[in-house]
Amino acid sequence: MKQIMTAAVLLCGAFAANTQTMNDINRNTQLPQPEQLVLVDDWDKVFAKSDKVEHSKVTFVNRYGITLAADVYRPKGTSTPLPAVAVSGPFGAVKEQSSGFYAQQLAERGFLAIAFDPSFTGESGGMPRRVASPDINTEDFSAAVDFLATNPDVDPERIGILGICGWGGFAVSAAASDSRIKAAVASTMYDMCRVTANGYFDADDSAEARDRARAALNARRTEDYRNGAYARAGGVADTIPADAPQFMHDYYDYYKTPRGFHPRSGNSTDGWNVTSALPFINFTLGDRASEIVNPVMIVHGEKAHSRYFGEDMFHRLNGDNKKLVIVPGASHTDLYDRLDKIPFDAIADFYNESMPAR
């Protein structure tokens, strides 16, 4: 009996200790500490380094506890505090590609600009790798704003964001939820929720088509769990049939050639996890676009297959502080890195007008 009572006391003590530990965890309101990420020191971008800009690397944490890696581009010879812009995209790219190019160009025009890798991708943290989430990826923009708003070199009342391709849609979503974003630009925008749920040009917009897609993706979930590994959807194909749509050839020309290839880029290699597509079927990005108070600029190419995403989103915006710029003769990927096509001066003017110095 004595042994039984001793065991009972020990069990009760262990339960009480575990309960106390759980209570301590539940009461913890501290922000998570940044993960120690392995960041590349060498210049490994697909674009040349500007001699007008200082470059450094930083990390910051989003509200899901994921540590994001970013490149900071700061204009040389300027005094602080500076207006700032957080840049990300395209969908499936990394900061060493188009977003870094945009950030460096904005820094040349007087902004402290950061290009960040979204959660689960590139040099940023988060497991499993190569997961996309309409909620978390919208949050990534706000996490960048957290970092900028508390940076002594930044004017917290002059913070904007810029999303390229799929991150253009997330930028609009972030602008609808985060009032600290004083101006947002979506360049060569995709609405990833719309295209996943409806297909290109809404050609598969039916309950039956979405049901088939869900069934296939959920079957993939079962196999992934059984296999203990996630199947990848594949990036841009290594060869493109001659009769493929022109935009597929354009993607190849950027992601698969020295122009834009990067080994950490999903589009250049093996793509996203297949099951990343699931939440995009049921999630929407533009529901609150009409409630955005601060200015929004939509930039698209005249010949871009994705142009309808940007124009339709523009029409969902209200007020007289929205702006639509259609670049003559430009394709979707021309606005990834073509300096003669991307209207950087107009974008910089938009930010300066929307976020005037005090």
Side-chain angles (χ1 to χ4, degrees):
M1 177 64 74
K2 183 177 181 180
Q3 290 177 331
I4 294 174
M5 291 182 65
T6 300
V9 169
L10 290 172
L11 286 171
C12 288
F15 176 77
N18 287 336
T19 300
Q20 182 61 41
T21 300
M22 290 305 300
N23 286 338
D24 290 341
I25 291 172
N26 290 331
R27 284 195 294 264
N28 186 358
T29 61
Q30 291 182 334
L31 271 65
Q33 293 302 303
E35 178 186 354
Q36 295 300 308
L37 302 177
V38 178
L39 304 179
V40 175
D41 292 327
D42 297 334
W43 183 267
D44 63 344
K45 324 303 182 193
V46 302
F47 52 91
K49 188 174 183 179
S50 171
D51 59 5
K52 302 175 184 177
V53 171
E54 296 174 353
H55 167 263
S56 60
K57 286 195 166 185
V58 297
T59 61
F60 50 90
V61 182
N62 71 14
R63 67 185 178 91
Y64 293 104
I66 300 167
T67 301
L68 304 182
D71 286 301
V72 180
Y73 298 88
R74 175 177 170 159
K76 289 182 178 179
T78 53
S79 59
T80 58
L82 293 168
V85 181
V87 188
S88 197
F91 192 76
V94 289
K95 64 187 183 306
E96 289 73 25
Q97 296 173 309
S98 184
S99 61
F101 180 70
Y102 270 71
Q104 183 170 259
Q105 288 293 322
L106 288 170
E108 287 189 354
R109 289 161 175 79
F111 298 87
L112 188 151
I114 65 171
F116 65 88
D117 282 328
S119 296
F120 312 109
T121 68
E123 291 187 306
S124 288
M127 288 293 290
R129 304 304 294 165
R130 301 271 179 83
V131 175
S133 162
D135 180 21
I136 295 175
N137 294 142
T138 297
E139 156 61 21
D140 287 341
F141 267 120
S142 287
V145 175
D146 292 339
F147 169 76
L148 292 172
T150 56
N151 187 319
D153 292 335
V154 171
D155 182 344
E157 296 302 318
R158 301 179 71 196
I159 296 174
I161 62 172
L162 190 151
I164 306 162
C165 183
W167 256 258
F170 298 141
V172 174
S173 179
S177 65
D178 193 334
S179 58
R180 300 171 301 169
I181 297 169
K182 303 305 181 184
V185 174
S187 180
T188 197
M189 181 193 137
Y190 256 59
D191 183 333
M192 293 308 304
C193 291
R194 179 177 176 181
V195 73
T196 304
N198 301 345
Y200 278 111
F201 303 102
D202 303 320
D204 296 320
D205 184 12
S206 70
E208 293 78 11
R210 282 185 286 273
D211 186 60
R212 288 192 297 270
R214 290 188 194 98
L217 289 166
N218 284 302
R220 182 70 260 167
R221 283 191 67 152
T222 302
E223 288 304 304
D224 286 352
Y225 198 84
R226 179 178 290 116
N227 297 334
Y230 292 94
R232 291 274 165 80
V236 175
D238 291 332
T239 58
I240 305 295
D243 60 351
Q246 180 58 43
F247 71 86
M248 296 303 298
H249 292 278
D250 293 342
Y251 282 138
Y252 179 93
D253 187 56
Y254 183 77
Y255 287 109
K256 289 293 190 174
T257 72
R259 173 186 166 195
F261 176 87
H262 197 280
R264 288 194 294 274
S265 166
N267 290 345
S268 291
T269 56
D270 59 353
W272 295 97
N273 293 349
V274 173
T275 53
S276 285
L278 265 170
F280 289 86
I281 296 175
N282 290 348
F283 201 100
T284 54
L285 289 176
D287 283 356
R288 298 290 181 265
S290 64
E291 298 177 13
I292 298 175
V293 175
N294 292 327
V296 177
M297 181 184 202
I298 306 288
V299 181
H300 235 108
E302 178 190 17
K303 296 183 178 180
H305 69 286
S306 52
R307 178 176 167 178
Y308 73 102
F309 291 125
E311 290 183 325
D312 287 358
M313 188 65 77
F314 176 79
H315 291 306
R316 300 177 78 167
L317 301 168
N318 280 328
D320 57 3
N321 59 356
K322 61 179 183 176
K323 189 170 186 177
L324 177 65
V325 176
I326 302 299
V327 181
S331 69
H332 179 83
T333 56
D334 281 340
L335 300 190
Y336 281 8
D337 66 339
R338 300 300 193 197
L339 195 54
D340 61 331
K341 296 288 188 182
I342 303 170
F344 281 119
D345 289 340
I347 291 171
D349 288 344
F350 172 77
Y351 282 126
N352 285 323
E353 292 165 5
S354 303
M355 309 185 300
R358 293 173 294 173

